[in-house]
Amino acid sequence: MSAKTLAGSPLRGFKSILEGKYFAWILLAPSMILVVAFIFYPLYRGVYLSLTRTVLLEGPDSTFIGLENFRQMFRDSLFLLAAKNTLIFMVVGLITQLAVGLGAAMLLSQDRKYIGLIRVLVVLPWFTPPVVTAYMWRFILDQNSGVLIKMLEGVGISFGPAGLWSNPELAIYAVLFVDLWASYPFFMLFLLAAIQGIPKDMRESTAVDGANSWQHFRYVVLPLISPVIVVSSILGVIHLINSPTLVLLMTNGGPGDSTTVLPLLAFQIAFQSYDFGYSSAISVAVLAAIAGFAMVYIRFAKFGKED
Amino acid sequence: MTALKKKRPVSYHLVNIGIGFLALFAILPIIWTFYTSLRTNVDINKFPTKFSFSNLSFDAYFGVWRDTNFPMLIKNSLIVSTMTVIISLALGTFAGYALSRSKFRGRQGVLLVYLAIRLVPGVLLLIPMYLFMNRLGLLDSYIGLTLAYTTFTLPATIWLMKGFFDSLPPDLENAARIDGCSRMGAMWRISIPLVLPGLAATGTLTAITAWNDVLFALLLTSSDRTRTWPVGLREMIGEFQLPWEALTATSILSLLPVVIGFALVGRKMVAGITAGSLKD
């Protein structure tokens, strides 16, 4: 039935659109408009801004300067330091969160009483507001009244007279520890879903063949969940270096610039010195780094599977 | 009596210890924060810590509620989170339904785009979003912040709702259609009531995302009129050097809605994190 035969009244025409092949697109349209307006358009503007000189204090105009912002990065020692910190953050963060997440997923995939409840409980840190996470751990790790610091001192581990947060070598690892608490459940959920997707009788058959638990894990479980490890790692890394929230709240880059990571630097340049062009360029560099990491990682993961 | 019980291997108990450790790692910091919020500042700074349950009070809670603008901040956050949930659920349900029920051309492409949006770094969007909102005159307004949160939560909402609709048997709707129900009517009267639990979980996930955010709230709000609690709390700590018991009390207060939502629909909600990423 075409619209023509029903074109008698405007209401009928509208109804026929709803019933017809555009039904899906009508339902999709509102969300698509929002996504285009508030994600794709800003994304495009962000990339454009990175090619301009736009300093809000000098006025609202932007001048096209090509790749000059990107050239400036390599002369900027703070950028290079932040890049190094970001690399540490990414590598250490990914390895620890993935390792703990995998271990937790193995443990929580076992059948136990109340395991469903515990699985949910363990994910609570992921949903805890970052502001609460940040201040709670600042308190627990506070030099003067932090319970964990006092306990560590009790067993002979101390972080010097100025404390953990004033130690430029250690502060970044303190943030990484807090991020581990908050973020490993993300990996755990992915890997738990993958492990639960493996048929239960698989273990019985490998046991008949004489495989011990480790061999079962290494040659059966690990290959089966490796695609999920890849996916969760990419999403995890994006989460790790995408959001400067925890660093911003816990150290704001300090002591010195020892915990300044690239997204935080971009944030500070944008909203403290209002250099929108250079800040956007740093964000584009982060995006490129994520894309590069994802491609190398996928290639590497595929390579590992072939042999 | 124990003869009936199978003897457990050592590994069984090791797993139990591991699970117990995970649970404690997750909640001990929160419990400690709650305990601290009930203590007096003198006790908090006394070492070694003496655990006692005398001298505990909710004074710090009354203090922050009475003497700071925390209630105002909470009100702003509640308004923005509620508006985000309503818009995001309305749009996400329609889109999720379309992607689940109609096999139109371009469907795979749309699904892929909504998945790929997760890869976009938020930091890159901050500046253009700020400029755009400025031009629309939406800076420092509830609606500006709501639009930003709605957009970020939409992809997850859509994927989740699609999943919930996928899991319904299609026969129900077919029967309604044969009985003369329109497509809209079939969606509205048959399918949506059946996905209400899923809708609740998705809504809670969305609410928590909006409730927790710091970065966008930091940029898009500038006055007490619209400022949400994470931004306000950050400022209060900077300005007044909040004593620990007040700081921990505000932390627990702002964590409370998250915990309640979590307790109600947590199990379904965690599915939202992996939605769309494990299949295809």
Side-chain angles (χ1 to χ4, degrees):
Chain A
M1 50 166 193
S2 70
K4 256 183 195 164
T5 56
L6 288 168
S9 78
L11 188 70
R12 271 192 155 173
F14 177 69
K15 268 197 172 152
S16 76
I17 289 173
L18 275 187
E19 296 291 313
K21 61 176 176 175
Y22 297 114
F23 177 70
W25 289 108
I26 289 168
L27 292 183
L28 281 169
S31 51
M32 288 180 124
I33 292 169
L34 267 191
V35 166
V36 169
F38 291 104
I39 291 186
F40 288 119
Y41 175 68
L43 195 62
Y44 153 77
R45 287 294 298 172
V47 174
Y48 174 75
L49 277 173
S50 74
L51 303 172
T52 67
R53 177 167 174 79
T54 309
V55 182
L56 220 57
L57 298 176
E58 297 170 359
D61 301 324
S62 24
T63 345
F64 189 83
I65 53 166
L67 295 173
E68 183 49 39
N69 283 325
F70 293 91
R71 265 183 234 122
Q72 192 190 331
M73 284 176 201
F74 294 97
R75 298 191 296 265
D76 181 352
S77 60
L78 187 55
F79 172 84
L80 295 173
L81 177 65
K84 193 193 100 192
N85 290 340
T86 309
L87 199 65
I88 295 176
F89 212 76
M90 197 169 120
V91 172
V92 177
L94 176 63
I95 291 173
T96 52
Q97 292 175 19
L98 184 60
V100 176
L102 181 58
M106 294 299 290
L107 288 172
L108 295 170
S109 66
Q110 307 293 319
D111 281 325
R112 290 292 189 277
K113 233 181 183 177
Y114 306 121
I115 193 75
L117 184 74
I118 293 175
R119 275 179 202 147
V120 174
L121 196 70
V122 162
V123 185
L124 184 59
W126 173 261
F127 289 103
T128 302
V131 170
V132 172
T133 302
Y135 295 130
M136 181 171 80
W137 280 103
R138 273 305 295 243
F139 170 59
I140 292 172
L141 295 170
D142 184 74
Q143 189 60 20
N144 296 319
S145 34
V147 62
L148 196 56
I149 290 288
K150 296 290 169 189
M151 276 160 65
L152 288 173
E153 274 174 6
V155 294
I157 301 168
S158 96
F159 301 103
L164 187 57
W165 300 103
S166 308
N167 187 324
E169 305 273 304
L170 292 177
I172 193 169
Y173 295 101
V175 178
L176 274 166
F177 173 75
V178 177
D179 206 351
L180 172 70
W181 181 80
S183 302
Y184 92 82
F186 176 82
F187 287 88
M188 190 279 288
L189 282 176
F190 273 87
L191 298 168
L192 181 63
I195 291 170
Q196 286 176 327
I198 300 172
K200 279 250 152 57
D201 46 15
M202 205 81 116
R203 177 68 190 111
E204 283 155 33
S205 26
T206 56
V208 170
D209 292 340
N212 62 32
S213 298
W214 165 250
Q215 285 166 329
H216 174 75
F217 173 74
R218 172 66 188 81
Y219 298 105
V220 178
V221 176
L222 209 53
L224 281 174
I225 65 173
S226 69
V228 179
I229 292 182
V230 173
V231 169
S232 62
S233 297
I234 291 170
L235 289 173
V237 161
I238 288 166
H239 173 74
L240 259 171
I241 64 175
N242 219 344
S243 150
T245 309
L246 267 188
V247 187
L248 177 78
L249 294 168
M250 297 194 82
T251 65
N252 200 12
D257 294 307
S258 62
T259 56
T260 301
V261 286
L262 287 176
L264 180 68
L265 183 65
F267 184 82
Q268 286 171 341
I269 289 175
F271 297 101
Q272 281 160 24
S273 45
Y274 294 100
D275 189 343
F276 283 6
Y278 188 42
S279 171
S280 296
I282 293 176
S283 298
V284 170
V286 171
L287 181 61
I290 294 177
F293 164 81
M295 278 190 308
V296 171
Y297 194 84
I298 291 171
R299 179 75 55 83
F300 182 72
K302 275 202 184 128
F303 191 71
K305 226 194 277 174
E306 272 159 21
D307 55 49
Chain B
M1 158 195 136
T2 45
L4 282 174
K5 250 187 192 164
K6 228 182 358 185
K7 180 110 175 68
R8 310 281 197 190
V10 180
S11 63
Y12 181 92
H13 298 289
L14 284 179
V15 168
N16 281 354
I17 292 171
I19 292 173
F21 182 79
L22 287 175
L24 289 180
F25 184 50
I27 58 165
L28 267 190
I30 296 170
I31 291 177
W32 182 253
T33 306
F34 178 60
Y35 175 64
T36 304
S37 70
L38 301 177
R39 300 169 80 199
T40 63
N41 224 21
V42 182
D43 283 341
I44 292 169
N45 288 312
K46 217 184 278 169
F47 282 94
T49 306
K50 286 213 175 55
F51 289 97
S52 79
F53 293 92
S54 59
N55 241 343
L56 297 184
S57 77
F58 282 93
D59 286 351
Y61 290 82
F62 294 119
V64 289
W65 202 256
R66 206 178 39 225
D67 305 333
T68 69
N69 63 350
F70 197 64
M72 180 82 169
L73 301 168
I74 293 286
K75 190 195 95 192
N76 290 337
S77 275
L78 282 177
I79 291 173
V80 171
S81 302
T82 310
M83 283 165 64
T84 304
V85 169
I86 292 171
I87 303 179
S88 182
L89 277 192
L91 303 187
T93 305
F94 286 150
Y97 183 82
L99 290 165
S100 169
R101 285 291 182 272
S102 302
K103 307 286 177 250
F104 57 96
R105 260 179 62 188
R107 178 175 166 275
Q108 282 300 327
V110 174
L111 280 171
L112 207 64
V113 167
Y114 281 132
L115 203 56
I117 287 174
R118 286 187 169 196
L119 311 188
V120 176
V123 166
L124 183 55
L125 296 178
L126 281 175
I127 297 172
M129 179 92 87
Y130 175 82
L131 293 172
F132 192 39
M133 290 288 183
N134 189 20
R135 223 170 52 191
L136 296 174
L138 292 178
L139 281 183
D140 203 25
S141 72
Y142 290 140
I143 191 73
L145 206 51
T146 302
L147 284 176
Y149 292 156
T150 304
T151 316
F152 282 108
T153 52
L154 258 180
T157 307
I158 290 170
W159 266 98
L160 269 172
M161 291 316 297
K162 175 191 171 287
F164 292 129
F165 285 122
D166 281 346
S167 63
L168 295 182
D171 295 346
L172 289 173
E173 268 188 39
N174 293 342
R177 298 268 290 148
I178 289 165
D179 290 346
C181 215
S182 68
R183 276 180 104 158
M184 273 291 182
M187 172 177 91
W188 196 247
R189 295 204 197 94
I190 310 291
S191 293
I192 289 184
L194 287 173
V195 295
L196 278 183
L199 210 58
T202 313
T204 310
L205 185 69
T206 305
I208 290 179
T209 311
W211 180 262
N212 286 0
D213 171 78
V214 195
L215 271 191
F216 282 88
L218 208 55
L219 287 187
L220 300 178
T221 66
S222 52
S223 74
D224 277 349
R225 227 161 31 83
T226 57
R227 194 171 284 153
T228 55
W229 72 264
V231 183
L233 186 57
R234 180 169 173 267
E235 244 155 51
M236 261 152 58
I237 287 161
E239 267 173 51
F240 308 124
Q241 288 291 318
L242 276 194
W244 286 123
E245 87 258 17
L247 177 58
T248 47
T250 48
S251 294
I252 293 297
L253 279 178
S254 37
L255 183 61
L256 206 58
V258 178
V259 172
I260 292 171
F262 205 69
L264 292 175
V265 289
R267 218 175 281 198
K268 262 215 155 94
M269 211 169 66
V270 294
I273 297 176
T274 53
S277 310
L278 289 180
K279 288 168 267 171
D280 306 328

